[in-house]
Amino acid sequence: MAKESSSIPCTPLLKDELDIVIPTIRNLDFLEMWRPFFQPYHLIIVQDGDPSKTIKVPEGFDYELYNRNDINRILGPKAACISFKDSACRCFGYMVSKKKYIYTIDDDCFVAKDPTGKEINALEQHIKNLLSPATPHFFNTLYDPYREGADFVRGYPFSLREGARTAVSHGLWLNIPDYDAPTQLVKPRERNTRYVDAVLTIPKGTLFPMCGMNLAFDRELIGPAMYFGLMGDGQPIGRYDDMWAGWCTKVICDHLGLGIKTGLPYIWHSKASNPFVNLKKEYKGIFWQEELIPFFQSAVLSKECTTVQKCYIELSKQVREKLGKIDPYFTKLADAMVTWIEAWDDLNPPKVAAEVPNGPAKGK
């Protein structure tokens, strides 16, 4: 009997319903390693930095590429809400996508291997996480009860076993951990070698530090909350873009009854960023977060907030009122949050597929 070739891929999950968003300042050679997993999908590349620089994309990928000139042309004055010279610019890709799901990855993240040596299809695991329910209202001690070989443990309320819709799948990293600058300086040689074969739902009322380098989400459920803030050029803070988005998103998911999962899948984070450069970017954030966390922990949204946009606008008002006292930056950020929602609604009018004017560079 003829042996079936293992090189023949199965039909990719959500092939026509998911965009991969990649922020970059360099040629995307890293895509070669991801080719078996990413090539069937559409890529949205957000080029940061000098728009006159040509970014090379390996042949065979279907992609759109947006640089700063494209962002300015498409958003006009509202482009001020999109960060420059910072990976926070990736959220522009979320805005212009027309797909239901988004996966975003950094260009220094490679394919990891599980303990058996098998290459991990991170995208496939994220999709599985998003397509199965979450359990934010009651913690299951066997972690994900919907996973094969697991279930709800004794004492888990039957009334909660349908779970909640999953809005976000937060993946992890082998090799270089996602540490802040002080921890990098104290542990310069530390590498993460622990592969924990688990996915768990972050409980309602619990915040978490969301890393944007290996992240997937349901754009229709939570997309407008995935604003990565004002970071980088001209701003007093950096490296808190994904943190800010995560805190806002978690408050809104809790309010709307949505779930966020963390754990599998792993990617291989190949490159440690400079801890001294990071410290300069993070310096104010390290102090500010001691006030930001209590703010988000105590944030309450009104019952009139029935959509992500309404939630986000109300949260922006609380940011202006309460965090604006810490530093004028937060008043500016609150304004940008409103601008972000306005721009999102401009490009994504309800029930109408918005055409992006003056389309971007495309490739195959």
Side-chain angles (χ1 to χ4, degrees):
M1 187 170 74
K3 185 178 179 181
E4 185 176 335
S5 172
S6 60
S7 65
I8 300 175
C10 299
T11 303
L13 292 170
L14 303 179
K15 176 182 177 295
D16 299 318
E17 298 180 68
L18 183 144
D19 278 334
I20 300 173
V21 175
I22 305 168
T24 194
I25 57 171
R26 58 181 63 87
N27 294 335
L28 295 180
D29 299 330
F30 92 114
L31 285 173
E32 287 295 352
M33 177 177 278
W34 286 102
R35 187 181 291 276
F37 308 125
F38 287 2
Q39 189 165 355
Y41 295 89
H42 181 68
L43 311 181
I44 296 178
I45 300 162
V46 184
Q47 178 181 343
D48 197 17
D50 183 2
S52 66
K53 179 180 178 180
T54 299
I55 298 292
K56 294 181 180 179
V57 181
E59 289 191 11
F61 287 92
D62 174 34
Y63 70 91
E64 305 166 56
L65 190 151
Y66 296 89
N67 61 32
R68 193 70 203 188
N69 293 338
D70 297 315
I71 295 171
N72 291 338
R73 182 175 66 248
I74 291 166
L75 296 185
K78 295 185 177 75
C81 74
I82 304 297
S83 298
F84 184 56
K85 295 186 178 178
D86 192 280
S87 64
C89 67
R90 78 177 77 220
C91 62
F92 177 77
Y94 311 160
M95 182 186 287
V96 296
S97 171
K98 300 304 168 208
K99 304 291 178 62
K100 179 174 170 55
Y101 300 97
I102 294 288
Y103 174 54
T104 185
I105 185 172
D106 285 4
D107 59 16
D108 62 349
C109 294
F110 301 154
V111 177
K113 293 182 179 180
D114 69 17
T116 70
K118 180 182 178 182
E119 290 191 335
I120 298 167
N121 184 345
L123 182 53
E124 182 181 52
Q125 180 64 50
H126 275 299
I127 291 170
K128 290 179 179 178
N129 293 347
L130 289 170
L131 293 183
S132 63
T135 54
H137 305 295
F138 201 93
F139 189 80
N140 190 57
T141 52
L142 273 183
Y143 309 123
D144 184 358
Y146 306 101
R147 191 176 177 186
E148 186 177 349
D151 211 322
F152 294 97
V153 298
R154 181 169 56 88
Y156 201 100
F158 283 86
S159 59
L160 295 176
R161 294 191 181 194
E162 287 188 6
R165 289 177 295 174
T166 302
V168 181
S169 173
H170 177 256
L172 298 175
W173 348 269
L174 293 172
N175 195 37
I176 306 294
D178 186 31
Y179 285 162
D180 52 37
T183 308
Q184 280 184 294
L185 289 166
V186 173
K187 299 180 174 182
R189 299 180 184 276
E190 185 155 295
R191 300 294 181 265
N192 181 36
T193 58
R194 292 189 306 151
Y195 179 96
V196 181
D197 188 11
V199 177
L200 49 147
T201 298
I202 301 168
K204 181 179 180 179
T206 301
L207 295 174
F208 77 111
M210 188 177 82
C211 173
M213 76 171 84
N214 175 28
L215 180 74
F217 60 93
D218 186 323
R219 184 177 173 276
E220 291 183 1
L221 276 184
I222 200 63
M226 279 289 179
Y227 175 47
F228 276 46
L230 291 175
M231 303 283 154
D233 193 51
Q235 308 302 335
I237 186 176
R239 283 175 55 84
Y240 274 86
D241 51 335
D242 42 9
M243 299 294 124
W244 181 263
W247 296 329
C248 291
T249 294
K250 186 59 165 66
V251 169
I252 293 172
C253 281
D254 285 353
H255 176 76
L256 296 177
L258 304 172
I260 296 178
K261 296 178 180 178
T262 188
L264 301 179
Y266 284 88
I267 51 83
W268 180 269
H269 186 206
S270 66
K271 186 177 65 177
S273 49
N274 187 311
F276 297 100
V277 173
N278 290 348
L279 184 60
K280 186 176 180 181
K281 293 178 179 179
E282 295 173 2
Y283 179 75
K284 289 191 175 182
I286 291 170
F287 289 98
W288 285 346
Q289 71 182 12
E290 300 306 318
E291 296 186 67
L292 297 182
I293 299 304
F295 163 77
F296 283 106
Q297 287 174 327
S298 61
V300 177
L301 301 174
S302 67
K303 63 181 181 181
E304 286 75 30
C305 293
T306 54
T307 67
V308 175
Q309 282 93 330
K310 289 178 181 178
C311 289
Y312 205 72
I313 292 298
E314 181 160 317
L315 196 54
S316 76
K317 294 175 182 176
Q318 296 182 26
V319 168
R320 179 180 289 105
E321 177 188 350
K322 298 180 180 179
L323 298 183
K325 300 172 184 176
I326 298 174
D327 191 274
Y329 165 76
F330 290 102
T331 301
K332 184 178 180 182
L333 178 55
D335 291 337
M337 292 169 72
V338 175
T339 302
W340 161 264
I341 293 297
E342 292 172 350
W344 182 283
D345 287 344
D346 286 346
L347 294 183
N348 300 278
K351 298 182 181 179
V352 177
E355 294 290 327
V356 178
N358 305 313
K362 294 179 180 287
K364 282 269 188 182

